[in-house]
């Protein structure tokens, strides 16, 4: 028997709520999701809660262990390296194809997304959660815009999955703004290269941008464990 529209809606709402909190960094690494607590808090059935968490596990945003249930992943250094490596390759391909295929409207979208990012204040999650969420949203929109004209829905879906995994890692690392890195300048250079159709330079800058974030996350996680 097919599920009712109400059950599908509750599943989607719960999925989006947990996903939103994961991407905000609201859960610490290793946090275990208790199905009974989710059901009581949100008024959903166990099957709805399990299906929402299973979808997130399939995307690599939630870990599922036999006999232990669902939890927030505790990423190892090797896993952080691997996510960054694959994201660099996939996102670079999407951006390169967008530069080849994108038209004037796409260029305008990139410029607008970068402008929105550049005027949105950046703050650490534990310093100003609301400002952090606004910047995080603008940051996502900018990287999405750069890749949007690649012409491959599957490539875009895979890019989004990797971006989400990277974002969970970044938020859990609780990175703080530092003088050693000019994130705004990095985004400005990427936007300039993309709009100028300088594919090789755009890819080089994107690789360096993701690599700096990878190193920052590893450093932050290492410091937290000492």
């Amino acid at each position: 028997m097919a599920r009712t529209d109400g059950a599908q809606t509750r599943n989607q709402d719960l999925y989006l709520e947990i996903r939103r909190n994961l991407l905000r960094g609201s859960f610490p690494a290793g946090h275990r999701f208790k199905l009974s607590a989710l059901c009581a808090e949100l008024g959903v059935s166990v099957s709805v809660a399990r299906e929402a968490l299973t979808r997130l596990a399939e995307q690599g945003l939630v870990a599922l262990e036999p006999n232990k249930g669902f939890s927030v992943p505790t990423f190892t250094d090797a896993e952080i390296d691997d996510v960054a490596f694959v994201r660099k390759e996939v996102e670079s391909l999407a951006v390169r194809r967008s530069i080849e295929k994108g038209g004037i409207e796409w260029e305008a979208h990139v410029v607008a997304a970068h402008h929105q990012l550049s005027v949105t204040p950046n703050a650490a999650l534990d310093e100003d959660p609301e400002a952090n969420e606004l910047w995080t949203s603008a940051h996502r929109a900018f990287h999405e815009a750069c890749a949007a004209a690649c012409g491959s829905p599957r490539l875009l879906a895979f890019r989004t999955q990797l971006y989400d995994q990277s974002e969970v890692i970044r938020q859990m690392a609780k990175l703080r703004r530092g003088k050693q890195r000019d994130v705004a300048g990095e985004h400005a250079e990427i936007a300039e290269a993309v709009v100028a159709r300088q594919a090789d330079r755009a890819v080089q800058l994107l690789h360096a941008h993701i690599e700096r974030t990878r190193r920052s996350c590893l450093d932050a996680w290492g410091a937290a464990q000492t």
Side-chain angles (χ1 to χ4, degrees), residues 4-226:
T4 64
D5 290 344
Q8 292 175 343
T9 299
R10 288 193 296 275
N11 176 275
Q12 181 69 2
D13 288 346
L14 179 58
Y15 161 79
L16 291 174
E17 179 65 18
I18 298 173
R19 180 178 180 274
R20 188 178 301 116
N21 283 320
L22 282 164
L23 297 178
R24 285 173 178 163
S26 300
F27 304 114
H31 170 83
R32 295 203 173 277
F33 293 100
K34 297 182 178 179
L35 294 179
S36 58
L38 286 174
C39 294
E41 180 182 352
L42 300 170
V44 298
S45 67
V46 171
S47 61
V48 167
R50 187 183 302 278
E51 184 171 348
L53 288 167
T54 298
R55 287 177 64 188
L56 291 162
E58 290 170 349
Q59 297 167 8
L61 300 180
V62 165
L64 173 57
E65 299 178 75
N67 302 319
K68 292 186 177 180
F70 299 93
S71 62
V72 176
T74 302
F75 292 97
T76 65
D77 289 1
E79 288 170 332
I80 293 173
D81 288 344
D82 193 42
V83 169
F85 164 69
V86 182
R87 184 189 165 204
K88 282 188 285 190
E89 298 305 309
V90 169
E91 190 133 353
S92 294
L93 175 59
V95 169
R96 187 180 291 278
R97 284 175 59 90
S98 292
I99 290 172
E100 294 172 358
K101 296 174 175 291
I104 299 300
E105 289 185 3
W106 167 72
E107 286 186 15
H109 185 41
V110 172
V111 171
H114 175 252
H115 176 69
Q116 182 63 54
L117 177 60
S118 68
V119 299
T120 303
N122 191 0
L125 181 67
D126 55 356
E127 293 173 346
D128 190 335
E130 183 176 353
N132 176 271
E133 186 167 357
L134 289 173
W135 187 89
T136 295
S137 178
H139 182 238
R140 170 183 293 274
F142 169 69
H143 282 288
E144 284 180 346
C146 291
C150 72
S152 171
R154 287 179 176 81
L155 179 58
L156 287 175
F158 192 28
R159 189 213 72 84
T160 297
Q161 181 177 336
L162 290 163
Y163 182 93
D164 286 350
Q165 291 178 21
S166 298
E167 188 62 12
V168 170
I169 292 169
R170 187 183 72 83
Q171 291 285 21
M172 287 195 300
K174 300 185 183 302
L175 301 183
R176 299 177 184 277
R177 298 177 66 186
K179 295 180 179 180
Q180 74 277 12
R181 186 175 179 190
D182 179 11
V183 176
E186 292 173 26
H187 289 134
E189 288 186 324
I190 292 170
E192 181 181 1
V194 167
V195 173
R197 309 280 178 158
Q198 298 172 342
D200 289 343
R201 176 166 170 74
V203 166
Q204 180 183 34
L205 291 168
L206 185 60
H207 274 233
H209 177 66
I210 296 172
E211 176 62 17
R212 291 187 186 102
T213 299
R214 181 194 70 83
R215 290 201 302 265
S216 296
C217 288
L218 288 174
D219 289 346
W221 281 46
Q225 294 170 1
T226 58

